Coordinates of all heavy atoms in Angstrom, one line a residue:
V34 N -23.5 -37.5 10.2 CA -23.7 -36.3 9.5 C -22.7 -35.2 9.9 O -22.6 -34.9 11.2 CB -25.1 -35.8 9.6 CG1 -25.3 -34.5 8.9 CG2 -26.1 -36.9 9.3
S35 N -22.0 -34.6 8.9 CA -21.1 -33.5 9.3 C -21.8 -32.3 10.0 O -22.8 -31.9 9.6 CB -20.2 -33.1 8.1 OG -19.4 -32.0 8.4
Q36 N -21.2 -31.9 11.1 CA -21.8 -30.6 11.7 C -20.9 -29.4 11.6 O -21.0 -28.5 12.3 CB -21.9 -31.0 13.3 CG -22.8 -32.2 13.6 CD -24.3 -31.8 13.2 OE1 -24.8 -30.7 13.3 NE2 -24.9 -32.7 12.5
T37 N -19.9 -29.4 10.6 CA -19.0 -28.3 10.3 C -19.9 -27.0 9.9 O -20.6 -27.2 9.0 CB -18.0 -28.6 9.3 OG1 -17.3 -29.8 9.7 CG2 -17.1 -27.5 9.1
P38 N -19.8 -26.0 10.6 CA -20.6 -24.9 10.2 C -20.1 -24.3 8.9 O -18.9 -24.4 8.5 CB -20.3 -23.8 11.2 CG -19.0 -24.2 11.9 CD -18.9 -25.7 11.8
P39 N -21.0 -23.7 8.1 CA -20.6 -23.1 6.8 C -19.6 -22.0 6.9 O -19.6 -21.3 8.0 CB -21.9 -22.7 6.2 CG -22.8 -22.4 7.4 CD -22.4 -23.5 8.3
A40 N -18.7 -21.9 6.0 CA -17.7 -20.7 6.0 C -18.5 -19.4 6.0 O -19.5 -19.3 5.2 CB -16.8 -20.9 4.8
P41 N -18.0 -18.5 6.7 CA -18.6 -17.1 6.5 C -18.5 -16.5 5.2 O -17.5 -16.8 4.5 CB -17.9 -16.3 7.6 CG -16.6 -17.0 7.7 CD -16.9 -18.4 7.6
P42 N -19.4 -15.7 4.7 CA -19.2 -15.1 3.4 C -18.0 -14.2 3.3 O -17.7 -13.6 4.3 CB -20.5 -14.4 3.2 CG -21.0 -14.2 4.6 CD -20.6 -15.3 5.4

Side-chain angles (χ1 to χ4, degrees):
V34 177
S35 174
Q36 298 298 316
T37 303

